[in-house]
């Protein structure tokens, strides 16, 4: 079989099995078999990029870096809907419809809380997609939409030569919880709700980020239905499902507005159990000829209305206020409540956000409080019913000491938030160690979240400094590890001791001290003791530092736990001095990307060599990349470099060029 035939066969098989897995929930092959087929297709496409098909499932993986989003003028305007907030308003909507068409019926369906997009198909193949924008002009997000597993890349059945559909991209509550957990663990800000997470994911310039976010879609409209001679909305939904789309779930054809109201009431009672967010229900005229007769206003169609559910609120008693220390050290007060059923789940805890919120609402322990779910997801306390107070209620104030480690608590963000910055705080330990070992910090290869978790669970590490005292037997005894893995990890730990001071400063996790500020501090002071003894005023004078970061630096070094950590690192042989070296100009103006395992050098060593010769290091391949240095088991970065025609070299060639 030649390459063209094999690429076609693999593409067909992967598209079929992806639909079975993601749309029908009925997989026919194992994940391993699927991954093997995908790996083979990627290899073939890298060797023969001209043979790759437009609907290739390798696009699901992402990796394309965009300079920005191109504006798109919608061929079919993406109208918004008129909102109604009561059943009487729905009945008034019905009277207006029936004054023009007495025989109208309705389709009632979920109003998914996500981001509206249009998808265009030519000859059954997905060719482009755009956000709604203002309804007339959106943004081209085709590459990111390709990563959404429930968007068919190729239609099935008797599809039309051209099709434009509209759908809502959303994030399941389980995916949202997983995403926020990972972001919190890595010290990144969490998303407020699934809708914000979905919208932010779809507008990532790096499509591989969108691919990681596990987005989904419900398709609910055929935009060019008139050209396809469709007669009803319900029939169009059936057609969409037959072509391979996941359509608007559990819709109902209703002969009257009262039947639609009954549907909306039942949906409201069960919306907490759906597994995804809805912010209402939509009632649409089913007959497309009646829709055309009713027409639209300047802003919205006259044939549809969106019923918006009010946030469900319940009263219960506030039993206590406890402080949770997040993985970034932020102290968050949480209400302990008498359990209450709310939006489909039993709620016994709710966020109080911060001290300022508690003070502004005068919330006290013992109060009868009103609770609701913010964005239908996160329970929050709205306020207290002061008329029910007995006099036994107690005011509450944020503790001055961290409840997890006893360390001093510092206010930030104008005093709205309080934070523990101790490097030995147990609540922050996992994040601290993961960050310490990360690629941009000490770059301890092989020490990822899973291994860190195992080390903490077995009480082998209680501080980043403990990494340098690990024994081979400690590591090889962990699940999934052996003598060879232990030896490799210990070698990486030992090698990290030689890192320049700038990497250590990044690894310490001082607020706002990233790679750039760390490099400037290391060059300016030359050793860690000089930085630790510098005044806030002195630090604030340095470029890329400034007064806020200077304050965070002096606060961190003022802690006993920080000073003890530095002394322990010194005792372990970790470098705390910056060697001043003049940079060469060999690679001036060039950007390098490293991928795979090099024969003799670590990525840290190779990066340092390139930077010493005036080059820059990037983590992703784009048109701006000058050279890719590839080693063994190089993955998607290598394939992308090949497709873009970027120069690819190995370690040997890199060393040869550096030697002149």
């Amino acid at each position: 079989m030649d390459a063209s035939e094999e690429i076609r066969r693999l593409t067909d098989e992967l598209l079929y099995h992806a639909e079975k897995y993601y749309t029908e929930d009925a997989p026919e092959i194992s994940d391993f078999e699927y991954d093997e087929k995908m790996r083979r297709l990627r290899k073939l496409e890298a060797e023969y990029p001209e043979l790759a098909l437009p609907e290739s499932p390798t696009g699901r993986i992402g990796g394309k870096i965009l300079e920005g989003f191109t504006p798109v003028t919608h061929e079919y305007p993406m109208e918004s809907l008129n909102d109604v907030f009561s059943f009487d308003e729905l009945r008034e909507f019905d009277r207006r419809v029936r004054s023009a068409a007495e025989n109208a019926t309705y389709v009632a369906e979920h109003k998914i809380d996500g981001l509206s997009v249009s998808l265009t198909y030519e000859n059954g193949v997905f060719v482009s997609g755009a956000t709604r924008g203002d309804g007339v002009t959106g943004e081209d997000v085709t590459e990111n939409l390709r990563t959404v597993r429930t968007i068919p890349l190729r239609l099935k059945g008797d599809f039309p030569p051209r099709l434009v559909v509209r759908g809502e991209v959303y994030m399941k509550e389980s995916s949202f919880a997983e995403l926020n957990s990972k972001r919190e663990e890595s010290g990144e800000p969490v998303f407020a709700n699934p809708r914000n997470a979905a919208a932010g994911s779809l507008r990532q310039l790096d499509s591989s980020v969108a691919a990681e976010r596990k987005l989904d879609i419900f398709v609910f409209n055929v935009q060019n239905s008139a050209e396809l001679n469709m007669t009803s909305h319900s029939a169009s939904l059936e057609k969409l499902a037959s072509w391979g789309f996941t359509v608007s779930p559990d819709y109902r054809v209703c002969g009257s507005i009262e039947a639609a109201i009954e549907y909306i009431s039942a949906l409201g009672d069960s919306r907490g159990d759906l597994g995804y967010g809805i912010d209402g229900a939509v009632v649409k005229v089913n007959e497309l000829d009646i829709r055309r007769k009713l027409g639209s206003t300047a802003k919205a169609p006259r044939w549809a209305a969106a019923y918006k559910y009010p946030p469900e609120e319940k009263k219960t008693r506030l039993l206590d206020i406890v402080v949770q220390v997040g993985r970034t050290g932020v102290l968050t007060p949480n209400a302990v409540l008498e359990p209450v059923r709310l939006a489909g789940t039993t709620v016994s805890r709710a966020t109080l956000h911060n001290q300022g919120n508690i003070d502004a609402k005068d919330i006290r322990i013992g109060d009868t409080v009103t609770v609701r779910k913010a964005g239908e997801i996160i329970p929050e306390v709205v306020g207290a019913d002061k008329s029910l107070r007995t006099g036994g209620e107690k005011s509450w104030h944020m503790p001055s000491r961290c409840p997890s480690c006893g360390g001093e608590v510092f206010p930030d963000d104008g005093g709205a938030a309080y934070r523990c910055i101790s490097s030995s705080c147990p609540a922050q330990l996992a994040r601290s160690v993961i960050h310490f070992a990360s690629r941009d910090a000490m770059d301890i290869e092989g020490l990822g979240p899973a291994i860190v978790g195992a080390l903490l669970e077995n009480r082998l590490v209680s501080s980043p400094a403990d990494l340098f005292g690990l024994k081979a037997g400690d590591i090889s005894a962990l699940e999934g590890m052996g003598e060879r893995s232990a030896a490799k990890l210990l070698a990486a730990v030992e090698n990290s001791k030689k890192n320049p001071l700038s990497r250590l400063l990044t690894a310490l996790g001082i607020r706002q001290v990233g790679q750039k500020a760390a490099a400037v501090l290391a060059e300016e002071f030359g050793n860690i003791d000089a930085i630790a003894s510098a005044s806030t005023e002195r630090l604030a004078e340095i470029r890329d530092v400034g007064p806020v970061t200077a304050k965070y630096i002096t606060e961190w070094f003022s802690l006993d736990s920080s000073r003890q950590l530095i002394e322990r690192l010194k005792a372990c042989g970790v470098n705390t001095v910056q060697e001043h070296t003049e940079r060469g100009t060999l690679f001036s103006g060039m950007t390098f990307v490293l991928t795979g395992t090099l024969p003799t050098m670590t990525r840290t060593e190779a990066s340092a060599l390139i930077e010493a010769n005036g080059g820059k290091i990037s983590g992703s391949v784009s048109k701006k990349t000058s050279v890719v240095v590839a080693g063994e088991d190089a993955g998607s970065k290598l394939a992308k470099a090949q497709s873009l025609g970027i120069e690819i070299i190995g370690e040997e060639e890199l060393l040869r060029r550096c030697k002149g």
Side-chain angles (χ1 to χ4, degrees):
M1 184 184 298
D2 66 18
S4 178
E5 291 177 353
E6 188 175 3
I7 285 174
R8 166 61 70 180
R9 178 183 62 79
L10 287 168
T11 298
D12 289 345
E13 290 179 1
L14 286 164
L15 290 174
Y16 171 79
H17 289 298
E19 183 182 5
K20 283 297 192 184
Y21 185 92
Y22 291 102
T23 304
E24 299 179 20
D25 198 22
E28 294 182 358
I29 62 174
S30 68
D31 289 351
F32 178 80
E33 291 174 286
Y34 183 89
D35 291 341
E36 283 296 299
K37 291 177 185 292
M38 180 68 81
R39 195 173 292 114
R40 175 61 179 163
L41 180 59
R42 288 169 61 190
K43 185 175 185 296
L44 286 170
E45 289 181 346
E47 292 177 6
Y48 308 100
E50 72 280 0
L51 299 179
L53 298 170
E55 66 268 35
S56 172
T58 57
R60 300 284 197 199
I61 303 165
K64 186 166 185 178
I65 309 296
L66 304 175
E67 298 296 329
F69 294 108
T70 305
V72 174
T73 301
H74 296 299
E75 184 177 356
Y76 306 92
M78 297 179 69
E79 297 176 304
S80 59
L81 297 175
N82 286 319
D83 294 335
V84 299
F85 299 91
S86 70
F87 293 150
D88 284 342
E89 288 181 87
L90 271 180
R91 294 183 179 103
E92 178 59 34
F93 160 74
D94 177 60
R95 282 191 287 273
R96 290 194 298 271
V97 169
R98 296 197 182 281
S99 67
E102 291 185 7
N103 62 332
T105 61
Y106 297 109
V107 172
E109 56 192 56
H110 299 185
K111 188 175 186 299
I112 308 299
D113 194 15
L115 188 72
S116 199
V117 298
S118 68
L119 312 174
T120 300
Y121 290 78
E122 302 282 358
N123 298 317
V125 175
F126 174 57
V127 293
S128 65
T131 60
R132 177 182 176 272
D134 61 5
V136 176
T137 304
E139 293 177 322
D140 186 341
V141 289
T142 303
E143 295 305 321
N144 286 344
L145 287 169
R146 286 188 191 279
T147 71
V148 179
R149 300 280 181 172
T150 39
I151 291 178
L153 298 178
R154 187 171 68 200
L155 304 181
K156 61 182 183 179
D158 185 21
F159 50 80
R162 190 167 189 278
L163 179 68
V164 183
V165 302
R166 180 173 175 176
E168 198 82 2
V169 173
Y170 70 98
M171 184 176 287
K172 291 178 181 175
E173 291 173 9
S174 57
S175 300
F176 173 71
E178 180 184 344
L179 172 62
N180 265 355
S181 177
K182 288 180 178 177
R183 290 178 69 84
E184 189 178 23
E185 189 172 278
S186 62
E188 298 176 273
V190 298
F191 288 105
N193 54 55
R195 188 193 183 284
N196 287 358
S201 302
L202 203 58
R203 298 195 73 259
Q204 290 288 326
L205 293 175
D206 182 351
S207 59
S208 64
V209 177
E212 295 172 355
R213 299 285 177 82
K214 298 182 180 178
L215 299 174
D216 278 284
I217 192 172
F218 285 124
V219 173
F220 58 82
N221 200 57
V222 177
Q223 297 291 85
N224 60 334
S225 57
E227 299 167 14
L228 304 179
N229 298 317
M230 291 181 167
T231 58
S232 71
H233 180 58
S234 56
S236 74
L237 290 175
E238 292 173 8
K239 274 290 188 183
L240 286 167
S242 74
W243 292 330
F245 293 101
T246 304
V247 300
S248 187
D250 302 324
Y251 64 88
R252 183 183 300 176
V253 179
C254 303
S256 67
I257 199 65
E258 294 305 321
I261 288 172
E262 181 183 337
Y263 169 91
I264 292 168
S265 296
L267 177 60
D269 292 338
S270 64
R271 70 186 192 271
D273 302 320
L274 295 174
Y276 53 84
I278 63 171
D279 59 353
V282 182
V283 178
K284 305 174 180 177
V285 170
N286 190 25
E287 295 79 14
L288 301 187
D289 60 337
I290 295 177
R291 288 189 183 186
R292 288 189 284 272
K293 182 179 179 181
L294 289 168
S296 301
T297 67
K299 295 183 178 179
R302 294 188 177 93
W303 44 262
Y307 177 86
K308 303 298 286 288
Y309 293 109
E312 186 179 2
E313 296 184 347
K314 292 282 183 70
K315 286 191 175 183
T316 188
R317 189 160 173 264
L318 175 59
L319 303 177
D320 199 2
I321 297 176
V322 296
V323 174
Q324 177 183 354
V325 184
R327 289 175 180 153
T328 59
V330 173
L331 276 62
T332 303
N334 288 300
V336 179
L337 308 167
E338 284 186 352
V340 60
R341 190 76 177 167
L342 186 65
T345 59
T346 299
V347 173
S348 58
R349 293 215 174 194
T351 182
L352 289 163
H353 299 293
N354 52 51
Q355 182 71 60
N357 179 62
I358 294 171
D359 293 342
K361 295 176 179 177
D362 189 21
I363 296 170
R364 304 178 187 180
I365 296 172
D367 270 336
T368 296
V369 294
T370 300
V371 186
R372 72 179 176 200
K373 282 193 174 181
E376 299 297 329
I377 299 296
I378 304 168
E380 68 174 356
V381 175
V382 179
D385 189 340
K386 297 170 187 175
S387 67
L388 298 178
R389 283 182 175 165
T390 62
E393 295 78 14
K394 297 178 182 178
S395 298
W396 184 89
H397 298 284
M398 187 70 71
S400 59
R401 293 279 170 180
C402 172
S404 179
C405 69
E408 187 178 355
V409 171
F410 294 88
D412 64 9
D413 299 332
Y418 288 80
R419 186 184 300 266
C420 170
I421 63 173
S422 172
S423 59
S424 62
C425 181
Q428 304 174 66
L429 184 55
R431 185 198 67 84
S432 297
V433 177
I434 291 168
H435 172 72
F436 187 88
S438 65
R439 182 178 299 175
D440 292 338
M442 295 298 278
D443 194 22
I444 303 176
E445 194 168 352
L447 192 60
I451 301 300
V452 170
L455 291 172
L456 297 179
E457 187 178 339
N458 287 274
R459 299 184 179 181
L460 295 171
V461 170
S462 59
S463 162
D466 291 332
L467 296 172
F468 300 98
L470 290 171
K471 307 296 182 188
D474 297 333
I475 301 171
S476 60
L478 299 176
E479 186 177 349
M481 299 291 283
E483 291 183 7
R484 186 178 175 186
S485 298
K488 285 181 68 176
L489 181 55
L490 285 178
V493 170
E494 183 65 26
N495 192 64
S496 73
K497 294 179 181 179
K498 305 171 188 174
N499 282 335
L501 173 60
S502 58
R503 282 192 170 274
L504 176 59
L505 289 173
T506 303
L508 294 176
I510 303 169
R511 290 193 69 199
Q512 294 192 10
V513 178
Q515 290 175 280
K516 190 173 183 181
V520 171
L521 288 166
E523 286 294 329
E524 180 74 21
F525 290 96
N527 65 78
I528 201 163
D529 292 330
I531 299 171
S533 60
S535 66
T536 305
E537 292 74 21
R538 170 74 178 90
L539 290 164
E541 294 172 352
I542 301 168
R543 64 181 177 86
D544 296 320
V545 176
V548 175
T549 304
K551 174 175 172 287
Y552 293 149
I553 294 169
T554 52
E555 284 178 349
W556 192 89
F557 279 106
S558 71
L559 300 177
D560 289 340
S561 58
S562 300
R563 291 193 291 270
Q564 290 166 7
L565 173 61
I566 298 302
E567 291 307 313
R568 287 193 62 196
L569 291 172
K570 287 180 182 178
C572 293
V574 175
N575 176 50
T576 59
V577 176
Q578 185 77 5
E579 292 184 12
H580 294 276
T581 55
E582 292 296 327
R583 288 198 171 201
T585 59
L586 177 64
F587 299 142
S588 181
M590 299 176 67
T591 299
F592 287 72
V593 172
L594 301 171
T595 182
T597 304
L598 301 180
T600 65
M601 303 174 72
T602 66
R603 289 192 181 184
T604 300
E605 291 169 338
S607 297
L609 179 62
I610 291 166
E611 289 172 342
N613 283 277
K616 293 182 180 179
I617 303 296
S618 175
S620 57
V621 177
S622 71
K623 291 179 181 178
K624 295 181 178 179
T625 304
S626 308
V627 179
V628 169
V629 181
E632 188 180 351
D633 296 328
S636 59
K637 292 177 183 178
L638 175 60
K640 186 168 184 181
Q642 290 170 332
S643 68
L644 292 174
I646 294 167
E647 184 183 12
I648 300 165
I649 65 173
E651 178 190 295
E652 184 178 353
E653 175 62 16
L654 174 65
L655 292 171
R656 188 193 67 77
R657 293 185 186 185
C658 291
K659 290 175 182 176

